[in-house]
Amino acid sequence: MEHWLNKRAALSPNQIAIEMEDHSVTFLQLQQKSQQFARQLDNLKPNGHIAILSDNSIDMAVAFWGCTYLQTPVVFLNTRLSRSEWQQQCNDADVGLILTSSHYLEKAKHLNVSVESFLKVKKLTVNEVPLLDEIDAEKVCSMMFTSGTTGRAKAVQQTFHNHWSSAVASSLNLGLLPEDKWLVCLPLFHIGGLSILIKSVIYGMPVYLLEKFDADKVHQAIMKSAVTLISVVAVTCSRLLERLGSERYPDSFRCMLLGGGPAPKPLLEQAKAKQTPVVQTYGMTETCSQIATLNEKDALRKLGSAGKPLFTATLKIVDEKEECNPNQIGEILAKGPMVSPGYYQHKKQSNEWLRTGDLGYFDEEGFLYVVDRRSDLIISGGENIYPAEIEEVLLMMDGIVEAGVTAEEDKQWGQVPVAYIVKNDKQLTTDRIKDYCKDRLANFKVPKQIHFRDQLPRNATNKLQRHKLK
Amino acid sequence: MEHWLNKRAALSPNQIAIEMEDHSVTFLQLQQKSQQFARQLDNLKPNGHIAILSDNSIDMAVAFWGCTYLQTPVVFLNTRLSRSEWQQQCNDADVGLILTSSHYLEKAKHLNVSVESFLKVKKLTVNEVPLLDEIDAEKVCSMMFTSGTTGRAKAVQQTFHNHWSSAVASSLNLGLLPEDKWLVCLPLFHIGGLSILIKSVIYGMPVYLLEKFDADKVHQAIMKSAVTLISVVAVTCSRLLERLGSERYPDSFRCMLLGGGPAPKPLLEQAKAKQTPVVQTYGMTETCSQIATLNEKDALRKLGSAGKPLFTATLKIVDEKEECNPNQIGEILAKGPMVSPGYYQHKKQSNEWLRTGDLGYFDEEGFLYVVDRRSDLIISGGENIYPAEIEEVLLMMDGIVEAGVTAEEDKQWGQVPVAYIVKNDKQLTTDRIKDYCKDRLANFKVPKQIHFRDQLPRNATNKLQRHKLK
């Protein structure tokens, strides 16, 4: 296939590709900027993959598309991680160069990896190197880290074919209107953000891009900038509805795609009362965003469901090895062309089905209800937090013998992590533990509360029973 | 991928799949009927491929989808061909069984192939045989005959992947609206008809199906049955505009897709004057319908153009072996996932580019203008007629020494074939020649006029110069 951005620039040169508050670029401009960036990047000849560390911006989009012209997989780093987490991920994903916005330059400079700012790259010589004009669908386009249940984060490989299939399957479900404009306030380093950037080029659809989520800015954009779709998580959805107050969104605003974990029923009821077209979806980094989405037609009738698997996707619910009956809860398994071929430097799953670790069931009509994300996953403001990762850090601290982390409900963030600890050092305080964590973990992963216990609940095989922590 | 019809029936069971004047079926019903048909078909165990010979009907659609459950390529026979042409095509495509509507049963019975009516099959025992639940994308789904420049018709193989890619590429260009309903008045045995039937299942979109083109019925359907898209050829487009008179189509009617050959400029001007959203397209049996289509946004600005190649398709214009510059006419070459892998029982083209034989050029903005379909192709009421095929028949007749066939403009059909003949039998009359042709050729291929000449124009190598016939 021709390179998507070249093709789109040829088909819709003057169509707006990315609109921000103060400026915008057309597809032709995006192509030219990205190609130029690629030619400038050639000067740096990184020894390894390229990582991007940035808040949402056109520069970030240009850097991403620029890398596609060099067929270099882009490793997306979460801006909220700690320095040691970045270092770990760069090591694990063989990153040879980090591209970053000026904002993160200082922080990133202390890493043991080459770092350049977007600004700096844009001042380099434009080398006349050949750029890719065909996309090799099976090649890896992007990598994003996800922890899974095992603690240490792994890099999910997303191929061009994964992204393509995701965009096509989404359009077959949500439709594709000539006036569509998708607002992105999720970080582009999350699949929920990046997938829209890619859809934009495949669909020829403008993206309204915000640097980060801001309830007021999103509200204004929906009310005044002809936005028709937006992707949100429960926390941001809730804040938007609060900001909406007694107002109503315009009729042209057709879809608030709600992902990133099961949605609280009261939130959905509230959206319904405000005639806001909230559509629940289920997906993850490994499925390149949505794999099941509720159709607008069924949104009210099936409140709380994540809908049916997209046209090219298949899901099944299994209990041990048997397939579950309707209304019977089991683990959700996924299959389809949007499912990642595997984790970087990890053995490929031999099974063609992706084991999501999430729990759910189908009703009699085949609508999916997600009961719980990977049993012990904590979702805080749309960010996935894996207890095992925090426990690992805690257990490295002198004076801590046992550690268990679990979720606590939180009004603002949905959930926050709290820790239960068995210590053998009487002097150890919660403040010292939090400080220790802050040096090693992203802020949102630092336990909000720390409880000391004499022992932690464990099962017969001594496995920690996180659901019994209290 | 799951079988498309199973998947669609699971996603949109109660959505209308096919609507006809007097009855309609939902996707669930279409699935059930097709699966039952497949199980009944199992009784016949045809020794070879299955052909379908029918005017448009739900039975015909059911027969087609039924065959997909048995992974049997369906050979579509043009109802307007002569008996000897049917026989030839059945031989060439290894047809072991013809399925037909009652209307064609008598005619087909005289062929040297098993024949069963849809009605008869529907009375057979329903065998409990396993049906395909996964689609093997690379398998051949359908075959349709096209003559090319060489005379004898060849069966174009269309894989499931070809059809899938065509449907996806079309939706990325035309968009996909929840209220879309596509009217099919082209025969389902043509790719322009079949492709909509397949889109219907992939998109979850109702098709409004007419047995055949009827200006009044189409008009009424657009005016009163919420049709949003229709595929037409120049002749039917013209008749619809005539029928429209001083009326206007509803605003919800968004696209009259005009294919099947270059459109006369006056027709496009007329459509423009009547605010009819005519969108020109370029495609052929070998590309599973559209490969380039004018975007609605550019329809008026680029009147007469067939638009730009669809997102996944690539076209180039070549003169001898070099690529042409903008505005320079050459042969159109096509590439993309919707391009057929080749003709049945013919050596695969070694080149990855399909040589269309059609002439055209790109303007400076990359819009395609088709100047002429395969130099000597005659397009009569949307049907392709290859002069070589008629000449071959003429030359078999005693008393005819030389024969040349070319197109003559015709008010009703756009073009009709006329023959130029050198005879060595003074008694030979035009009536006897026409009768001879009628026994061997479809009616629309029988030369409308026959002119006797002493010699035919030939070039230095004695090749017939059809463009000089007069």
Side-chain angles (χ1 to χ4, degrees):
Chain A
M1 205 185 309
E2 287 177 64
H3 189 289
W4 300 337
L5 185 51
N6 289 356
K7 185 69 180 187
R8 179 50 64 195
L11 289 176
S12 327
N14 304 318
Q15 166 78 278
I16 294 295
I18 306 178
E19 178 181 345
M20 294 196 72
E21 277 175 285
D22 47 359
H23 62 311
S24 58
V25 287
T26 64
F27 283 109
L28 183 60
Q29 290 166 338
L30 182 61
Q31 178 206 29
Q32 289 170 341
K33 282 171 185 280
S34 302
Q35 291 195 334
Q36 173 157 328
F37 192 90
R39 296 198 156 102
Q40 291 168 317
L41 209 47
D42 178 68
N43 292 287
L44 301 175
K45 306 215 185 304
N47 184 16
H49 297 136
I50 293 177
I52 292 181
L53 173 65
S54 174
D55 291 320
N56 295 349
S57 67
I58 291 180
D59 276 349
M60 185 183 185
V62 165
F64 164 67
W65 287 114
C67 289
T68 63
Y69 281 108
L70 304 171
Q71 191 104 277
T72 306
V74 173
V75 179
F76 283 93
L77 296 176
N78 187 326
T79 57
R80 301 169 67 190
L81 298 188
S82 69
R83 228 176 271 164
S84 63
E85 287 169 311
W86 287 336
Q87 185 66 57
Q88 187 68 63
Q89 297 194 352
C90 286
N91 296 348
D92 288 354
D94 290 330
V95 170
L97 172 68
I98 299 176
L99 297 174
T100 181
S101 59
S102 314
H103 183 76
Y104 294 98
L105 190 58
E106 262 320 299
K107 272 190 176 175
K109 266 190 176 161
H110 297 88
L111 298 173
N112 189 21
V113 188
S114 306
V115 178
E116 291 294 351
S117 70
F118 300 143
L119 271 179
K120 175 79 177 296
V121 176
K122 284 158 70 179
K123 284 179 187 151
L124 298 175
T125 319
V126 179
N127 293 345
E128 270 314 312
V129 287
L131 299 179
L132 238 74
D133 52 11
E134 293 269 331
I135 275 184
D136 183 344
E138 298 311 324
K139 284 266 161 62
V140 174
C141 168
S142 50
M143 292 199 226
M144 292 176 179
F145 278 83
T146 179
S147 294
T149 43
T150 52
R152 170 95 162 254
K154 294 175 287 184
V156 177
Q157 302 178 96
Q158 299 157 336
T159 65
F160 287 94
H161 185 59
N162 291 153
H163 286 304
W164 169 263
S165 305
S166 170
V168 166
S170 172
S171 73
L172 290 177
N173 179 56
L174 294 176
L176 192 52
L177 275 55
E179 64 270 24
D180 272 344
K181 185 192 285 187
W182 205 313
L183 189 147
V184 174
C185 54
L186 294 174
L188 291 177
F189 58 74
H190 272 194
I191 188 59
L194 181 67
S195 62
I196 312 304
L197 203 66
I198 292 172
K199 284 190 182 88
S200 156
V201 168
I202 293 175
Y203 299 169
M205 168 190 75
V207 154
Y208 191 98
L209 186 66
L210 286 177
E211 195 190 34
K212 51 179 73 176
F213 178 78
D214 176 309
D216 196 57
K217 286 183 180 172
V218 173
H219 179 78
Q220 295 302 336
I222 299 177
M223 297 307 265
K224 295 177 185 162
S225 296
V227 166
T228 63
L229 305 113
I230 183 178
S231 304
V232 294
V233 296
V235 182
T236 50
C237 176
S238 165
R239 288 205 231 155
L240 285 174
L241 291 181
E242 196 181 308
R243 174 66 187 78
L244 184 61
S246 59
E247 292 181 85
R248 290 289 171 271
Y249 291 127
D251 286 345
S252 53
F253 178 66
R254 68 186 186 94
C255 177
M256 187 177 274
L257 197 66
L258 174 57
K265 200 93 180 228
L267 179 65
L268 297 172
E269 299 281 4
Q270 197 190 348
K272 185 176 169 180
K274 289 178 186 249
Q275 291 154 37
T276 302
V278 166
V279 168
Q280 236 192 293
T281 179
Y282 171 66
M284 63 210 80
T285 311
E286 287 89 338
T287 61
C288 269
S289 81
Q290 305 168 57
I291 190 157
T293 301
L294 195 58
N295 194 295
E296 285 173 87
K297 290 176 189 162
D298 299 309
L300 293 180
R301 194 168 69 89
K302 293 289 179 179
L303 208 70
S305 165
K308 293 180 178 177
L310 300 185
F311 197 83
T312 53
T314 312
L315 295 179
K316 66 177 179 185
I317 310 281
V318 297
D319 180 13
E320 308 283 307
K321 273 184 179 173
E322 215 166 64
E323 212 167 325
C324 291
N325 293 321
N327 295 317
Q328 193 190 339
I329 295 176
E331 186 185 355
I332 304 170
L333 270 56
K335 196 170 76 167
M338 66 288 277
V339 175
S340 160
Y343 303 100
Y344 182 66
Q345 300 285 41
H346 281 72
K347 232 181 90 182
K348 207 179 167 314
Q349 279 191 309
S350 59
N351 198 310
E352 59 169 339
W353 291 90
L354 170 76
R355 297 196 75 103
T356 67
D358 296 332
L359 297 178
Y361 65 89
F362 284 123
D363 70 8
E364 291 87 353
E365 290 183 69
F367 285 84
L368 175 71
Y369 289 78
V370 180
V371 176
D372 205 357
R373 294 303 291 262
R374 323 192 180 189
S375 42
D376 46 14
L377 178 64
I378 303 167
I379 303 185
S380 186
E383 293 280 3
N384 290 350
I385 304 177
Y386 296 88
E389 193 186 354
I390 305 176
E391 290 160 5
E392 215 174 77
V393 168
L394 289 168
L395 288 169
M396 287 188 302
M397 190 178 184
D398 286 341
I400 292 184
V401 188
E402 287 184 46
V405 171
T406 185
E408 196 160 273
E409 300 307 310
D410 182 88
K411 269 211 162 175
Q412 187 178 6
W413 301 108
Q415 295 185 319
V416 290
V418 297
Y420 293 81
I421 281 170
V422 180
K423 60 178 178 179
N424 62 4
D425 172 359
K426 290 202 174 163
Q427 312 302 319
L428 198 60
T429 64
T430 58
D431 281 350
R432 266 184 56 210
I433 297 176
K434 284 187 184 176
D435 286 345
Y436 183 88
C437 287
K438 274 177 196 161
D439 287 344
R440 291 161 181 82
L441 291 168
N443 246 320
F444 63 89
K445 296 181 191 168
V446 175
K448 295 299 164 282
Q449 287 178 50
I450 290 172
H451 307 285
F452 295 111
R453 294 286 180 271
D454 290 336
Q455 58 175 23
L456 299 185
R458 294 186 179 274
N459 68 8
T461 62
N462 215 26
K463 198 165 174 276
L464 181 67
Q465 294 180 288
R466 294 198 185 93
H467 60 283
K468 289 193 177 167
L469 287 169
K470 62 179 179 186
Chain B
M1 206 184 309
E2 286 177 65
H3 190 289
W4 300 337
L5 186 51
N6 289 356
K7 184 69 180 187
R8 180 49 64 195
L11 288 176
S12 327
N14 304 317
Q15 166 78 278
I16 295 294
I18 306 177
E19 177 181 346
M20 294 195 70
E21 276 175 286
D22 47 359
H23 62 312
S24 58
V25 287
T26 64
F27 283 109
L28 183 60
Q29 290 166 338
L30 182 61
Q31 178 206 30
Q32 289 169 341
K33 282 171 186 279
S34 302
Q35 291 195 334
Q36 174 156 328
F37 192 89
R39 296 197 156 103
Q40 290 167 317
L41 208 47
D42 178 68
N43 292 287
L44 301 175
K45 306 214 186 306
N47 184 17
H49 298 135
I50 293 177
I52 292 181
L53 174 65
S54 174
D55 291 319
N56 294 350
S57 68
I58 291 179
D59 276 349
M60 185 183 185
V62 164
F64 164 68
W65 287 114
C67 289
T68 63
Y69 281 108
L70 304 171
Q71 192 105 276
T72 306
V74 173
V75 179
F76 284 92
L77 296 175
N78 186 327
T79 57
R80 301 169 68 190
L81 298 188
S82 69
R83 227 176 273 165
S84 63
E85 287 169 311
W86 287 336
Q87 186 65 59
Q88 187 68 63
Q89 298 194 350
C90 286
N91 296 348
D92 287 353
D94 290 331
V95 170
L97 171 68
I98 299 176
L99 298 174
T100 182
S101 59
S102 314
H103 184 76
Y104 294 98
L105 190 58
E106 262 320 300
K107 272 189 174 176
K109 267 191 175 160
H110 297 88
L111 298 174
N112 188 22
V113 188
S114 305
V115 178
E116 291 295 351
S117 70
F118 300 142
L119 272 179
K120 175 79 178 296
V121 176
K122 284 158 69 180
K123 285 180 187 150
L124 298 176
T125 319
V126 179
N127 293 345
E128 270 313 312
V129 287
L131 300 179
L132 237 73
D133 51 12
E134 293 269 332
I135 275 185
D136 183 343
E138 298 311 324
K139 285 265 161 64
V140 174
C141 168
S142 50
M143 292 199 227
M144 293 176 178
F145 278 83
T146 178
S147 294
T149 43
T150 52
R152 171 96 162 253
K154 293 176 288 184
V156 177
Q157 302 178 95
Q158 298 157 336
T159 65
F160 286 94
H161 185 59
N162 291 152
H163 286 304
W164 169 263
S165 305
S166 170
V168 166
S170 172
S171 73
L172 290 178
N173 180 55
L174 294 176
L176 192 52
L177 276 55
E179 63 270 24
D180 273 344
K181 185 191 284 187
W182 205 312
L183 189 147
V184 174
C185 54
L186 294 174
L188 291 177
F189 58 74
H190 272 193
I191 188 59
L194 181 67
S195 62
I196 312 303
L197 203 66
I198 292 172
K199 284 190 182 88
S200 156
V201 169
I202 293 175
Y203 299 169
M205 168 191 75
V207 154
Y208 191 98
L209 186 66
L210 286 177
E211 195 190 34
K212 51 179 74 174
F213 178 78
D214 177 309
D216 197 56
K217 286 184 180 172
V218 173
H219 179 79
Q220 295 302 336
I222 299 178
M223 297 307 263
K224 295 177 185 162
S225 296
V227 165
T228 63
L229 305 113
I230 183 178
S231 304
V232 295
V233 295
V235 182
T236 49
C237 176
S238 164
R239 287 206 231 155
L240 285 174
L241 291 181
E242 196 181 310
R243 174 66 187 79
L244 183 61
S246 59
E247 292 181 86
R248 289 290 171 271
Y249 291 127
D251 286 344
S252 53
F253 177 66
R254 67 185 186 95
C255 177
M256 187 177 274
L257 197 66
L258 173 59
K265 200 92 180 228
L267 179 64
L268 297 172
E269 299 281 3
Q270 196 190 349
K272 185 176 169 179
K274 289 178 186 249
Q275 291 153 36
T276 301
V278 166
V279 168
Q280 235 191 295
T281 180
Y282 171 65
M284 62 210 80
T285 311
E286 287 89 338
T287 61
C288 269
S289 80
Q290 305 168 58
I291 190 156
T293 300
L294 194 58
N295 194 295
E296 285 173 88
K297 290 176 189 164
D298 299 308
L300 293 180
R301 194 168 69 89
K302 292 289 178 178
L303 208 71
S305 165
K308 292 180 178 178
L310 299 185
F311 198 83
T312 53
T314 312
L315 295 180
K316 66 177 178 184
I317 310 280
V318 296
D319 179 14
E320 307 285 305
K321 272 183 179 175
E322 214 167 66
E323 213 167 326
C324 291
N325 293 320
N327 295 317
Q328 193 189 339
I329 295 176
E331 185 185 356
I332 304 170
L333 270 57
K335 196 171 77 167
M338 65 287 277
V339 175
S340 160
Y343 303 99
Y344 183 66
Q345 302 285 40
H346 282 72
K347 230 180 93 182
K348 206 180 166 315
Q349 279 191 309
S350 59
N351 198 310
E352 59 170 338
W353 291 90
L354 170 75
R355 297 197 73 103
T356 67
D358 297 332
L359 297 178
Y361 65 90
F362 284 122
D363 70 8
E364 290 87 354
E365 290 183 69
F367 285 84
L368 175 70
Y369 289 78
V370 181
V371 177
D372 205 357
R373 293 302 292 259
R374 323 191 181 191
S375 42
D376 46 13
L377 178 65
I378 303 167
I379 303 185
S380 186
E383 293 280 3
N384 290 350
I385 304 177
Y386 295 87
E389 192 186 354
I390 305 177
E391 289 161 5
E392 215 174 77
V393 168
L394 289 168
L395 288 169
M396 287 188 303
M397 189 177 185
D398 286 342
I400 292 185
V401 188
E402 287 184 48
V405 171
T406 186
E408 196 160 274
E409 300 307 311
D410 182 88
K411 268 211 163 175
Q412 188 178 6
W413 301 107
Q415 296 185 319
V416 290
V418 297
Y420 293 81
I421 281 170
V422 180
K423 59 178 178 180
N424 62 4
D425 172 359
K426 290 202 174 161
Q427 313 302 319
L428 198 60
T429 63
T430 59
D431 281 351
R432 266 184 56 211
I433 297 176
K434 285 187 184 176
D435 285 345
Y436 182 88
C437 287
K438 275 178 196 158
D439 288 344
R440 290 161 181 83
L441 290 168
N443 246 320
F444 63 90
K445 296 181 192 168
V446 175
K448 295 298 164 283
Q449 288 178 49
I450 291 172
H451 307 285
F452 294 112
R453 293 286 181 270
D454 290 336
Q455 58 175 24
L456 300 185
R458 294 187 179 272
N459 67 9
T461 62
N462 215 26
K463 199 166 173 278
L464 181 66
Q465 294 180 288
R466 293 199 186 93
H467 60 284
K468 289 194 177 165
L469 287 169
K470 62 179 179 186

